[in-house]
């Protein structure tokens, strides 16, 4: 009951499941099906993964986590489900909202693992996702390379593969710090190769910002000077602003700004509650612009305003804010490999949310952000080793 292997296995499986790409690949390429969320592979696997997280937390194992972001994450799912009442597509909103109620329990399992077990679990899943993707590029290029020559591997596109590779790079650094050097080096190499092949500028930008932010914070803390931290922060912020200004007028950002304007007009008519969680993308008669046929708002904030309004956005911000503040505080108070890994992960995931709708599709991005908020956010706290070992100790005694 509640043993570490069960927890580690669920964490590894959940990242592979909520990456979504492998499930689409199975339905479309292997079974020749249309590849819809309600398909015979995708829906059961997603629901069963969430159910496993709920059972593990409720029935078997209850590590102590931060109360405020836990409540906000569950409330977000409840609000998404409630939006069925006014949704443009109630049948889509209902089941997806119910799954979002359960996602925080999967994040709860992730938050309860110690750092070494966590990076091993994420590393194993990352090695499978990136390794299979690179192998497919060589063995089945028609399936793994898009028409522009960019790699997508087992994922649905380059902007899905590249963030997976970015997370793999960060996790690889955590593995190396935990003395899993061969494992970590292999994952690091595959992650970088995958990012180069995918060619996603937004993912590269997010990775550079994430590694820079976490490393600067760790260096500043070890120098022990608030002044040094402030100085490095100013330099880092200035560099980020400069990079954004250089990229702002490129086509990928021009298209995103157009999409944001278009969905903003729809969201303005349902400012507080939105038009129903994910409902807009299943209402093709409203897609009167070519860019609206791409299936998302390409940014989590406009996506939230569109689907669940200001109320949903505020709940999301509580979770994300708790994650950001919590890991920043941990980097300053307890600098080390765990703090660096989580700091880089959170920074990467947050930056990715600016240009991609990673709050959608039961994404690993949202699950990991919840996990960071539960692990480091405001609320009751007990030492990590007590959270991990106490249930096992009770059973054995």
């Amino acid at each position: 009951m509640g043993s570490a292997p069960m927890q580690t296995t669920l964490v590894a499986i959940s990242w592979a499941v909520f990456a979504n790409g492998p499930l689409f690949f199975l339905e479309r390429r292997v079974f020749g099906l249309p590849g819809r969320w309600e398909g015979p592979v995708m829906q059961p696997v997603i629901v069963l993964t969430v159910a496993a997280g709920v059972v593990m937390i409720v029935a078997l194992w209850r590590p102590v986590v931060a109360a405020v972001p836990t409540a906000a994450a569950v409330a977000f799912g409840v609000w998404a489900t409630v939006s069925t009442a006014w949704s443009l597509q109630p049948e889509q909103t209902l089941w997806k909202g119910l799954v979002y109620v359960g996602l925080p329990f999967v994040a709860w399992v992730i938050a309860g693992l110690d750092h070494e077990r966590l990076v091993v679990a994420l590393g194993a899943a990352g090695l499978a996702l990136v390794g299979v993707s690179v192998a497919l590029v060589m063995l089945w290029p028609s399936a793994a390379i898009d028409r522009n020559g960019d790699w997508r591997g087992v994922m649905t596109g380059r902007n899905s593969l590249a963030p997976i590779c970015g997370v793999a790079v960060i996790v690889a650094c955590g593995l190396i710090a935990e003395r899993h050097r061969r494992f970590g080096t292999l994952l690091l190499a595959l992650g970088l190769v995958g990012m180069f092949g995918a060619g996603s500028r937004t993912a590269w930008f997010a990775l550079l910002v994430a590694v820079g932010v976490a490393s600067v914070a760790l260096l500043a803390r070890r120098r022990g000077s608030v002044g040094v931290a402030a100085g490095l922060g100013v330099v880092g912020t200035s560099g980020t602003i400069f990079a954004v200004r250089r990229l702002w007028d490129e086509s990928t950002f021009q298209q995103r700004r157009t999409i944001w304007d278009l969905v903003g007009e729809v969201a303005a008519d349902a400012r507080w509650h939105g038009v129903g969680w994910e409902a807009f993308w299943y209402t093709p008669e409203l897609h009167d612009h070519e860019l609206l046929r791409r299936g998302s708002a390409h940014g989590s904030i406009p996506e939230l305003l569109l689907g669940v309004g200001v109320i949903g956005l505020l709940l999301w911000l509580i979770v994300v804010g708790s994650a950001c503040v919590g890991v920043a505080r941990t980097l300053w108070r307890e600098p080390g490999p765990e703090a660096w890994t989580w700091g880089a992960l959170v920074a990467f995931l947050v930056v990715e949310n600016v240009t991609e709708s990673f709050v959608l599709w039961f994404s690993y991005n949202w699950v990991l952000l919840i996990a960071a908020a539960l692990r480091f956010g405001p609320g009751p706290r007990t030492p990590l080793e007590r959270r991990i070992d106490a249930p096992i100790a009770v059973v054995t005694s």
Side-chain angles (χ1 to χ4, degrees):
M1 293 176 60
S3 65
M6 289 174 59
Q7 301 149 19
T8 306
T9 300
L10 179 60
V11 171
I13 290 174
S14 67
W15 187 21
V17 169
F18 298 131
N20 296 315
L23 299 182
F24 275 113
F25 192 90
L26 280 173
E27 285 216 350
R28 292 172 178 171
R29 297 287 180 173
V30 178
F31 298 115
L33 299 170
R36 290 192 285 262
W37 290 109
E38 295 77 21
V41 174
M42 299 198 65
Q43 191 176 52
V45 171
I46 289 169
V47 171
L48 285 173
T49 303
V50 172
V54 173
V55 169
M56 185 168 287
I57 292 300
V58 173
L60 304 179
W61 182 60
R62 296 182 185 87
V64 175
V65 291
V68 173
T70 303
V74 174
F76 178 89
V78 171
W79 182 247
T81 305
V82 169
S83 71
T84 303
W86 56 82
S87 174
L88 297 174
Q89 300 290 337
E91 68 282 357
Q92 291 292 334
T93 298
L94 179 59
W95 84 269
K96 290 181 171 69
L98 289 172
V99 171
Y100 270 76
V101 175
L103 285 178
F105 292 88
V106 179
W108 200 333
V109 177
I110 297 172
L113 281 181
D114 65 36
H115 183 244
E116 183 175 6
R117 289 170 181 159
L118 175 67
V119 293
V120 167
L122 293 179
L127 188 63
L129 291 168
V130 181
V132 169
S133 293
V134 173
L136 284 172
V137 167
M138 296 182 289
L139 300 174
W140 195 358
S142 62
I145 301 177
D146 67 21
R147 60 187 177 184
N148 297 317
D150 296 316
W151 294 6
R152 63 187 174 202
V154 76
M155 305 301 293
T156 56
R158 70 172 191 167
N159 287 327
S160 297
L161 175 60
I164 289 286
C165 294
V167 172
V169 168
I170 294 169
V171 171
C173 295
L175 283 166
I176 293 170
E178 289 288 352
R179 298 181 296 280
H180 296 279
R181 291 185 178 86
R182 291 182 180 177
F183 185 8
T185 302
L186 175 60
L187 183 61
L188 178 64
L190 283 172
L192 291 174
V193 167
M195 289 197 71
F196 276 111
S200 171
R201 287 166 290 184
T202 55
W204 272 112
F205 176 71
L207 182 62
L208 293 174
V209 169
V211 171
V213 166
S215 301
V216 163
L218 200 61
L219 176 63
R221 176 61 183 92
R222 288 183 172 175
R223 295 271 181 158
S225 168
V226 176
V228 172
L232 291 172
V234 169
V235 172
T237 302
S238 301
T240 300
I241 293 173
F242 174 77
V244 170
R245 291 191 59 165
R246 288 292 301 270
L247 294 170
W248 193 247
D249 289 327
E250 291 197 10
S251 60
T252 184
F253 288 98
Q254 288 178 340
Q255 291 175 3
R256 280 167 169 79
R257 295 204 305 274
T258 301
I259 294 172
W260 297 341
D261 289 339
L262 292 169
V263 299
E265 294 174 3
V266 179
D269 294 330
R271 189 180 307 276
W272 290 101
H273 52 73
V275 299
W277 186 235
E278 296 198 31
F280 179 79
W281 307 111
Y282 293 88
T283 314
E285 60 269 23
L286 297 179
H287 305 166
D288 53 1
H289 192 286
E290 180 184 358
L291 292 176
L292 292 179
R293 299 181 194 123
R294 297 191 175 185
S296 77
H298 287 275
S300 284
I301 290 177
E303 198 72 69
L304 288 159
L305 291 171
L306 178 64
V308 285
V310 172
I311 294 174
L313 175 62
L314 289 175
L315 292 170
W316 182 84
L317 287 173
I318 291 172
V319 175
V320 175
S322 296
C324 293
V325 172
V327 296
R329 183 177 57 211
T330 303
L331 270 166
W332 188 256
R333 294 179 178 176
E334 305 171 38
E338 178 181 12
W340 184 92
T341 302
W342 274 107
L345 270 177
V346 168
F348 179 80
L349 298 171
V350 169
V351 174
E352 276 292 314
N353 272 279
V354 174
T355 56
E356 301 292 344
S357 296
F358 272 118
V359 69
L360 289 183
W361 314 307
F362 326 105
S363 175
Y364 67 92
N365 185 306
W366 174 232
V367 174
L368 286 175
L369 281 172
I370 300 173
L374 268 56
R375 190 180 182 95
F376 301 106
R381 190 72 71 242
T382 59
L384 182 60
E385 57 272 14
R386 285 177 58 194
R387 282 191 274 160
I388 295 295
D389 297 335
I392 300 172
V394 169
V395 172
T396 56
S397 63

